[in-house]
């Protein structure tokens, strides 16, 4: 397995280095198979500048549910989009390609893509999540 290219892209599929906090994270990955395989999965790990794992997920290559056979020389394209609830920071996307049925790692690329998220609220966390909180203060018995 060989990585041909990987880049952060905008909604028009143009390469970008940074994105505002209100835009989804979209990455295009291009691969070439160096040998036949009965199926492949891509595992992606998103980390921040402190190397804290923010999110990870796996997807079959070539199909929505189950991986499909791949022949040596075939090229693959993965376009992945994740909701952007990230706080302003520098992020890194690493990828591992696993042989789904034969077992084993076909390729691992640490920090394959790096990008900056800007804007949004300041936070000590790594993501901004929707939340609802209720709070009240009541008078207690006088002491």
């Amino acid at each position: 397995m060989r990585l041909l290219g990987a880049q952060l892209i905008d909604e028009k599929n143009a390469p970008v280095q940074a994105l505002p906090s209100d835009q989804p994270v979209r990455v295009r990955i291009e691969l070439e198979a160096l040998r036949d395989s009965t199926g492949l999965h891509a595992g992606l790990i998103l980390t921040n500048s402190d190397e804290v794992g923010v999110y990870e997920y796996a997807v079959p290559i070539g199909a929505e549910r189950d991986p499909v056979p791949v022949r040596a020389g075939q090229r693959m394209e993965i376009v992945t989009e994740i909701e952007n609830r990230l706080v302003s920071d520098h992020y890194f996307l690493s990828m591992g390609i696993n042989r789904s049925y034969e077992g084993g790692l076909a390729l691992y690329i640490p920090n394959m893509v790096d990008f900056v998220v800007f804007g949004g609220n300041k936070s000590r966390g790594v993501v901004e999540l929707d939340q609802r909180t209720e709070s009240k203060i009541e008078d207690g018995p006088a002491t």
Side-chain angles (χ1 to χ4, degrees), residues 14-26:
V16 294
Q17 296 294 318
L19 65 143
S21 60
D22 63 346
Q23 297 295 313
V25 177
R26 296 185 79 225

Side-chain angles (χ1 to χ4, degrees), residues 8-122:
L8 182 71
I9 56 175
D10 64 14
E11 66 280 350
K12 296 177 184 173
N13 293 326
V16 294
Q17 296 294 318
L19 65 143
S21 60
D22 63 346
Q23 297 295 313
V25 177
R26 296 185 79 225
V27 175
R28 180 178 44 241
I29 305 161
E30 297 171 280
L31 303 160
E32 181 181 11
L34 298 179
R35 71 178 215 187
D36 294 352
S37 177
T38 56
L40 301 166
H41 271 84
L44 298 139
I45 303 168
L46 180 66
T47 58
N48 68 5
S49 61
D50 293 322
E51 298 181 2
V52 172
V54 177
Y55 183 61
E56 65 179 70
Y57 60 107
V59 294
I61 296 177
E64 286 187 31
R65 292 186 156 238
D66 296 318
V68 296
V70 176
R71 292 185 320 277
Q74 284 188 306
R75 292 187 172 205
M76 295 148 273
E77 180 182 70
I78 301 168
V79 177
T80 185
E81 179 176 308
I82 58 174
E83 179 181 16
N84 185 357
R85 292 182 169 230
L86 304 169
V87 298
S88 296
D89 199 354
H90 191 175
Y91 292 91
F92 302 88
L93 188 66
S94 298
M95 179 185 69
I97 302 293
N98 296 300
R99 293 183 187 94
S100 305
Y101 303 112
E102 302 104 313
L105 187 65
L107 178 70
Y108 179 69
I109 306 289
N111 302 333
M112 174 184 66
V113 173
D114 70 294
F115 59 94
V116 172
V117 172
F118 60 90
N121 298 321
K122 297 288 183 194

